[in-house]
């Protein structure tokens, strides 16, 4: 049985710079820090950085939950991200946004009032 999302992995060309940038974005330090992989615990889920990868804004998109999407877009773009696709109301009080990190990957955010943390297994 598939239990749900556990890890979102981003390929990066500069592991040290990506580690520092994501530590600022998520306001936390990695719990696992090796030359071959850096892992952050983000609300019980993992954000992983893989060195020597090929970043891209095409392919799978992982959305990280936020409470105030406008404030987070402002904060993260001030840290060097760029707007890839603007904030969009997708209906039913759900908003999404796509940001491009400084390394060439998408960092997507979502406000979803229907998300129930108690259903995460």
């Amino acid at each position: 049985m598939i239990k749900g999302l556990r890890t979102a992995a981003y390929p990066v060309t500069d592991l040290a710079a990506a580690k520092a940038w994501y530590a600022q974005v998520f306001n936390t330090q990695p719990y696992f820090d090796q030359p071959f992989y850096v892992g952050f615990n983000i609300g019980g889920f993992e954000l992983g950085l893989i060195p020597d990868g090929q970043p891209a804004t095409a392919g799978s998109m992982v959305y990280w939950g936020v409470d105030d999407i406008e404030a987070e877009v402002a904060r993260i773009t001030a840290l060097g991200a760029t707007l890839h696709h603007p904030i969009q109301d997708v209906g039913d009080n759900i908003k999404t946004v796509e940001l491009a990190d400084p390394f060439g990957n998408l960092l997507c955010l979502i406000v979803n009032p229907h998300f129930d943390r108690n259903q995460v297994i």
Side-chain angles (χ1 to χ4, degrees):
M1 173 171 107
I2 296 174
K3 293 187 175 183
L5 177 69
R6 293 296 185 262
T7 302
Y10 297 124
V12 296
T13 55
D14 184 337
L15 188 61
K19 177 175 65 173
W21 191 81
Y22 276 100
Q24 282 188 298
V25 167
F26 286 98
N27 197 31
T28 190
Q29 293 300 311
Y31 79 91
F32 188 85
D33 188 352
Q34 295 295 319
F36 58 88
Y37 182 85
V38 173
F40 293 86
N41 179 344
I42 310 299
F45 300 97
E46 180 151 339
L47 182 150
L49 302 176
I50 302 169
D52 303 322
Q54 185 62 40
T57 57
S60 297
M61 295 168 31
V62 176
Y63 288 84
W64 296 94
V66 297
D67 292 324
D68 184 339
I69 200 164
E70 290 84 2
E72 286 303 303
V73 167
R75 185 180 72 81
I76 295 170
T77 55
L79 292 172
T82 57
L83 196 60
H84 183 72
H85 191 277
I87 296 172
Q88 180 176 5
D89 185 332
V90 297
D92 212 13
N93 296 318
I94 301 169
K95 291 182 180 180
T96 63
V97 68
E98 298 169 17
L99 302 170
D101 74 12
F103 314 98
N105 295 297
L106 284 183
L107 174 64
C108 303
L109 307 177
I110 188 169
V111 172
N112 183 351
H114 309 287
F115 176 77
D116 183 356
R117 187 182 241 349
N118 294 322
Q119 291 189 15
V120 175
I121 56 172

